[in-house]
Amino acid sequence: QVQLVESGGGSVQSGGSLRLSCAAFGYMYSTYCMGWFRQAPGKEREGVAVIDSDGTTSYADSVRGRFTISQDGAKNAVYLQMNSLKPEDTAMYYCAADIRRRTITNMFWDYWGQGTQVTVSS
């Protein structure tokens, strides 16, 4: 059984930064593909960033250059550093994991966390 627990969300002004964390429990971290997704009210869930088990990363065009996904194998954790935040980044952010290789456009992941809210004010 895999459990994902997100933290680090909050409220910040436009241009600010936040660092989201996702702690994973119950599996061998190094074999999983991990991703961050977000969903704003009234909108569909969208992929933000993905890091594969070999460290390969990919990003949505809307966040490339501002967000960075990273992993810490020793702590079984994945992070999302978010800089230069914009009001349009406001959403619930979710962590996801899958033993198969996944992309940011694929919404069918094996495991999801409960989410952490990010609110960016102008």
Side-chain angles (χ1 to χ4, degrees), residues 37-40 43-47 92 94-95 107 112-113:
F37 293 76
R38 66 186 182 186
Q39 188 166 18
K43 295 187 177 181
E44 294 186 351
R45 188 170 296 189
E46 63 175 355
M92 184 71 78
Y94 299 91
C95 177
M107 296 296 126
W112 293 88

Side-chain angles (χ1 to χ4, degrees), residues 7-85:
S7 62
S11 296
V12 65
Q13 289 190 329
S14 182
S17 298
L18 283 173
R19 187 191 193 211
L20 305 184
S21 299
C22 173
F25 303 93
Y27 70 91
M28 295 298 292
Y29 152 84
S30 62
T31 64
Y32 276 70
C33 184
M34 303 291 293
W36 284 98
F37 293 76
R38 66 186 182 186
Q39 188 166 18
K43 295 187 177 181
E44 294 186 351
R45 188 170 296 189
E46 63 175 355
V48 175
V50 167
I51 186 164
D52 209 343
S53 56
D54 64 0
T56 303
T57 58
S58 58
Y59 297 91
D61 289 343
S62 59
V63 307
R64 188 175 292 111
R66 299 187 297 122
F67 291 11
T68 303
I69 188 171
S70 61
Q71 59 191 20
D72 185 334
K75 296 182 179 180
N76 275 7
V78 175
Y79 307 99
L80 186 68
Q81 178 65 44
M82 305 186 295
N83 298 328
S84 302
L85 282 161

Side-chain angles (χ1 to χ4, degrees), residues 95-107:
C95 177
D98 201 303
I99 196 164
R100 300 161 293 184
R101 176 162 287 183
R102 284 288 178 260
T103 68
I104 58 172
T105 58
N106 191 316
M107 296 296 126

Side-chain angles (χ1 to χ4, degrees), residues 2-6 22-23 35-36 45 92-97 110-116:
V2 175
Q3 285 188 312
L4 303 174
V5 180
E6 302 98 333
C22 173
W36 284 98
R45 188 170 296 189
M92 184 71 78
Y93 283 71
Y94 299 91
C95 177
D110 282 343
Y111 303 103
W112 293 88
Q114 294 299 306
T116 185

